[in-house]
Amino acid sequence: METKILYTDVKLPESPSVVKISINDKEFIAPVLVGTEGEKALDIRELRKQTGFITYDPGFANTGSCKSAITFIDEEGILRYRGIPIEDLAGKATFLEVAFLLLNSKLPTENELREFELGILRRMALHEDLKNQFHVYPRDAHPMSILASMVASLAAFYPEKPSGNDESEDYKNYLRLIAKFPTIAAYSFKKSIGHPFIYPRQDYGYCENFLYMMFSHPSCNYEILPEVVEALELLFILHADHEQNCSTSTARLVRSSQANIFAAVTAAICALWGPRHGGANEAVISMLSFIRDNKIPVKNFVERVKNKEFRLMGFGHRVYKSYDPRAKIIKDACHRLLKKLNKEDELLSIALELEEAALHDEYFIERKLYPNVDFYSGIMYRAMGIPTKAFTVMFALGRLPGWLAHIREFDKDPDNKIGRPRQIYVGSNVTSYTPLSER
Ligand code: CMC
C-alpha cells in the first residue's frame, strides 16, 4: 500500500499555528512551537501513539531534543550566551563570569561574582586519595582518559545523598567540578613528565592557578604571563557552551536516567574526545604537522581532501554554514598572542595557506565549509606550552560550564524524561535456534 504524506499549514483558533500531517486515512495535528528567535518546530510527541509512525533522523540534524534558554547559534555565524553576543563577552568578561552567566541566566553582580569565585578557588585542591590515584596511570596515558576517569571518581568522593537532586548540593557539585578540572588537567601533565604535583593557591585567579599548577616547579620561579592568562580566559569563554552539540547532548542524556552529575560530565568528556568533535583541535595539529613533515604542497593536500582521502580537520560545522564566529576571534587572538610572546609557528603559516586555498575552492564553497573553533585554537595552546595531547582537555575545561548549565536546565524542565530514542529494526525476522552441533 502506498503511503501518502501531506504537509499543510493550518491555523486553529486555539493555537497560533499547527501542521496537519495526513498519513493514509489518519490525520495527525502537530502543534507548532516557535522559539524566541523564530525557529519553528513540530511537536510530534503524540505521533507514534496516534499514527504508528516514528521519525527517522540519523545524527538528529532535524530533531529538537529540548527547549533551551542558554545559548543561541545560527548558521549565519551567530553565537550568544543568554542573549549576549560572543563578541561582547570575548576579551571583556572573565571565564568565571561567563560560567556564572550560563549557570544562573544572568550576569553576576560584583558580590555574586566574588562569592562564586571564592566558592571555586577554595575547592581547587584534590582530595589526597584522589591525587594518589594519578600514580596508577602509565606515563604516556592520554590526558582525556585520565580526566574522564578522575571525574568519574569524584562521584566516589562526593556521593549524592539518597534523596538525590538536592539543588543546593547539586550547585556545590557544579562548583567542585569547575574547581577541580584544572587541577586534574595539570596533574595529568605533571604525571606525564614526572614532575611533582603543585597545589593550587587561593590568592591566584582561576586561569593563573591552571598555569601555575601546569608549569611551576618547586625548584624554580615561574612567572605567570598576563598575556597568556588573557588568551586562556578568551579561549575558555569561546568554548563555554554551544547548545546541543554531541557532548552536551550526551550529558543531558546520561542525566536523564538520573545518574549523578559526575557521571553525566564523565560521559560528556568521552563524547568530546572524538575527532569529529573536541578531538579535532588535536587532529588539526597532527594534520598540519603531517603536511610540514612530509613537505606536502597545500594545493596537493586540498586535492586529497576533495578526493575524500581524509577530512580537512578544523573545517565544517553541523550548524554554521559560514565562518564560525569563534574561529574569527581565535584567528586574531592567535596572531596577537604569537606577537606578544615573540614567537613564530610554521604551523600557523600552513594553516593560513590551507584556509586561503579552501575558501577559494568550489568543493568547500559548495558545501559551505569554513574554519571552525578548532582550526586555530591549537596554535594558541602550542604557544602557551600546552602539549598537543592535552588540547581536548583544554576544550573540556572551557565547555564544562555549558555542560553544567544544561544539566541544571534539564533538571528544572517539567517536560524532562529519560532519553530513549526509537529505531527502525532492519535485522532478521524470527529465526529458529540451531544447536551448536548442527552448525
Ligand atoms: N573536510 C572535507 N569535507 C568535509 C568536511 C571537512 N572537514 N566536513 C564536511 N565535509 C563534506 C562531507 O564529506 C560531505 O560531503 P558530500 O556531500 O560530498 O558527502 C559534506 O561536506 C557534508 O558533511 P557531513 O559529514 O554530512 O556534515 P556534518 O554536519 O554531519 O558534519 C562535522 C559536521 C563537523 C562533523 C564535519 O564538518 C567534520 O567532520 N569536520 C572535521 C572535524 C572537525 O573539525 N570537527 C570540529 C567541529 S566544531 C567543534 C566541535 O563541535 O567540537
Side-chain angles (χ1 to χ4, degrees):
M1 182 172 59
E2 196 193 344
T3 299
K4 278 195 223 125
I5 303 179
L6 304 168
Y7 300 90
T8 43
D9 273 315
V10 183
K11 293 239 184 255
L12 284 189
E14 69 274 19
S15 164
S17 181
V18 296
V19 168
K20 189 168 83 178
I21 303 175
S22 299
I23 304 176
N24 301 332
D25 55 342
K26 290 204 176 74
E27 191 170 83
F28 176 67
I29 308 276
V32 172
L33 306 176
V34 185
T36 44
E37 291 290 339
E39 283 171 317
K40 292 185 281 299
L42 301 183
D43 179 346
I44 54 138
R45 279 178 290 183
E46 295 295 317
L47 179 67
R48 187 176 171 279
K49 204 191 277 175
Q50 290 184 23
T51 68
F53 278 69
I54 60 165
T55 55
Y56 177 62
D57 186 20
F60 311 123
N62 300 286
T63 297
S65 59
C66 60
K67 295 179 199 153
S68 180
I70 303 171
T71 290
F72 174 68
I73 71 177
D74 178 84
E75 64 173 55
E76 300 300 334
I78 294 172
L79 167 59
R80 298 182 201 135
Y81 297 157
R82 301 285 186 190
I84 306 177
I86 193 67
E87 294 78 8
D88 288 358
L89 293 165
K92 295 184 192 122
T94 64
F95 175 59
L96 291 190
E97 208 179 332
V98 169
F100 184 98
L101 169 71
L102 292 170
L103 274 168
N104 297 292
S105 338
K106 70 176 206 65
L107 286 167
T109 61
E110 261 182 55
N111 279 345
E112 285 169 336
L113 182 59
R114 200 169 316 119
E115 199 187 318
F116 186 69
E117 285 170 345
L118 273 177
I120 288 167
L121 294 175
R122 67 189 168 81
R123 289 185 168 91
M124 286 189 98
L126 299 186
H127 190 294
E128 287 294 303
D129 292 343
L130 192 62
K131 197 187 81 180
N132 292 335
Q133 216 171 290
F134 281 88
H135 298 304
V136 305
Y137 296 102
R139 284 271 285 272
D140 60 354
H142 196 285
M144 283 297 275
S145 150
I146 300 183
L147 181 68
S149 45
M150 284 293 171
V151 172
S153 295
L154 287 174
F157 288 81
Y158 308 100
E160 243 173 30
K161 303 232 162 62
S163 57
N165 280 25
D166 170 348
E167 169 67 9
S168 67
E169 264 311 301
D170 286 352
Y171 202 79
K172 244 188 244 168
N173 284 337
Y174 306 150
L175 299 183
R176 277 188 187 119
L177 276 160
I178 297 173
K180 293 180 198 309
F181 251 50
T183 317
I184 295 172
Y187 287 7
S188 64
F189 175 58
K190 289 298 196 194
K191 159 80 191 178
S192 74
I193 55 171
H195 281 193
F197 298 148
I198 306 292
Y199 287 90
R201 292 177 53 150
Q202 281 189 37
D203 56 335
Y204 284 173
Y206 187 76
C207 291
E208 280 93 341
N209 255 307
F210 171 68
L211 293 167
Y212 171 70
M213 290 188 285
M214 279 287 285
F215 299 119
S216 69
H217 191 279
S219 64
C220 56
N221 285 331
Y222 169 71
E223 189 192 354
I224 303 172
L225 296 176
E227 39 280 283
V228 177
V229 174
E230 195 185 300
L232 209 50
E233 294 273 5
L234 179 87
L235 284 168
F236 285 165
I237 289 171
L238 294 174
H239 285 83
D241 191 41
H242 219 231
E243 51 117 306
Q244 310 308 320
N245 55 83
C246 181
S247 55
T248 304
S249 299
T250 301
R252 278 181 175 264
L253 190 64
V254 174
R255 184 62 170 172
S256 81
S257 75
Q258 293 184 343
N260 66 73
I261 292 168
F262 302 109
V265 171
T266 303
I269 293 167
C270 295
L272 184 74
W273 196 346
R276 284 179 176 177
H277 191 8
N281 58 13
E282 186 184 339
V284 167
I285 297 299
S286 309
M287 173 185 78
L288 297 175
S289 308
F290 174 77
I291 295 174
R292 179 198 56 194
D293 298 344
N294 294 286
K295 298 188 175 47
I296 302 173
V298 159
K299 251 185 132 182
N300 293 10
F301 189 82
V302 168
E303 285 309 310
R304 289 169 73 178
V305 169
K306 287 160 63 180
N307 290 334
K308 311 266 189 202
E309 209 177 305
F310 28 65
R311 285 195 170 196
L312 186 53
M313 300 313 287
F315 255 69
H317 196 273
R318 172 61 65 75
V319 180
Y320 295 134
K321 297 301 162 205
S322 57
Y323 215 103
D324 182 332
R326 303 166 298 175
K328 213 177 275 174
I329 299 171
I330 294 176
K331 186 179 172 184
D332 290 345
C334 184
H335 284 297
R336 270 201 316 277
L337 181 69
L338 291 185
K339 201 167 163 208
K340 279 186 189 162
L341 298 180
N342 210 9
K343 283 189 177 177
E344 279 182 16
D345 190 338
E346 52 189 331
L347 297 191
L348 176 60
S349 315
I350 298 172
L352 290 167
E353 214 188 314
L354 260 179
E355 179 190 333
E356 183 68 13
L359 295 186
H360 287 94
D361 192 291
E362 209 37 52
Y363 174 97
F364 297 88
I365 297 170
E366 210 178 87
R367 291 170 179 77
K368 300 189 172 155
L369 301 171
Y370 293 85
N372 61 45
V373 68
D374 296 311
F375 197 61
Y376 290 107
S377 60
I379 297 170
M380 288 184 76
Y381 293 136
R382 262 163 74 87
M384 296 175 190
I386 291 162
T388 309
K389 253 169 68 169
F391 287 2
T392 311
V393 168
M394 300 303 290
F395 194 142
L397 288 180
R399 181 55 53 87
L400 176 64
W403 291 334
L404 297 174
H406 282 273
I407 289 171
R408 191 173 202 207
E409 185 176 68
F410 177 86
D411 287 346
K412 290 181 173 181
D413 184 349
D415 281 346
N416 96 25
K417 270 173 155 318
I418 187 164
R420 207 299 184 190
R422 290 272 173 172
Q423 64 165 13
I424 299 164
Y425 176 69
V426 293
S428 311
N429 293 115
V430 65
T431 310
S432 56
Y433 172 74
T434 315
L436 190 56
S437 57
E438 290 170 31
R439 274 177 252 156

